[in-house]
Amino acid sequence: MPLDPHQQFDQTVLDIIEHSPIGAVPHTPAYQDAVKRLYASHQAYADADHKDGHVTARSLAQRPLFHASNLEALMAGKIAPEALESNASIYDRYVQSLPAARQAKAESHRILVIGKAVHHRTKHGHEVFHDPVHTLFLVPGAGPHHGLPGNYLHGSMFQVSADATSWAVHVHDSDDGAALADAPNLAEALARLQEVLASAPFHLSELQTLGFRLN
C-alpha cells in the first residue's frame, strides 16, 4: 500500500498545534489543507479555549474524565443508582481541573449542563415520576461545535421511564450537536456509558460506530 504523501507534513502540523499556546498554524494554503485533513480524520478539533485555534486528539487523550466517583460501585451492584455522586459535585471537579482563567466560563455552562436532568423527566398519560436517575459525565472531544472549556463534551445516562425499563445515554457539544443512544435497562445503559468513556477523546460523529444516532 503506498504511503500517504501528506502523512509526514500532517504530523508536523500536529506538532505545531501542540507547541502553540493558542493552537495556531500558519495561514497558508498548505497548512490550512493539512488542518482540513486532520479534522476529517478526527486527529484535530476546533479549540474551545482559543478563537480560530485547534487542539489535537492526542493531547486531549491526556485529559481526565469526569463521572460519578462511585460509578464502579454501581456497576458492581454495591450501591443503588440513587447513591451516585451528585451532578453538582462532578461538575465541581471538572471546573476545578481547569486553569483559573477558564473556570468562570465553565461556570457559565453549569445550569445548561446540570439542568438537563429536568428535561428528561417524562409523563406517561397522567403519571408523573419524580427524581429519575440521572448521572453526568464529561469527556474530552468535540462535535459539530467545539466543546466546553478545556475541550470537553458533556453527557448523561438517565432513566426515561418510571418503571426503569427505558434508559438513554446522550452526549453533547457546547451547542446543539448531540449523539444519542437508548437502552432497555440499567445494565445496558451502563455498558453504553462505559463504551463512551473508553472511547474518549472523540468527535461526536465517531459514536455512530457504537450505535449512537446523531441529532
Side-chain angles (χ1 to χ4, degrees), residues 73 87 120 151 178 186-187 191 210:
N87 289 341
H120 298 315
N151 294 289
L186 174 59
L210 299 179

Side-chain angles (χ1 to χ4, degrees), residues 158 167-171 179-183 192 210-213:
F158 58 93
W167 295 75
V169 177
H170 290 184
V171 191
L180 321 170
D182 303 316
R192 289 280 195 179
L210 299 179
F212 282 69
R213 62 189 184 277

Side-chain angles (χ1 to χ4, degrees), residues 12-30:
T12 298
V13 174
L14 286 174
D15 292 339
I16 291 172
I17 292 171
E18 291 177 353
H19 286 90
S20 167
I22 58 173
V25 299
H27 290 283
T28 63

Side-chain angles (χ1 to χ4, degrees), residues 185-210:
N185 53 53
L186 174 59
E188 292 203 25
L190 284 169
R192 289 280 195 179
L193 174 55
Q194 283 297 102
E195 287 182 322
V196 170
L197 297 176
S199 300
F202 52 77
H203 188 279
L204 284 178
S205 63
E206 295 181 272
L207 292 182
Q208 290 180 291
T209 62
L210 299 179

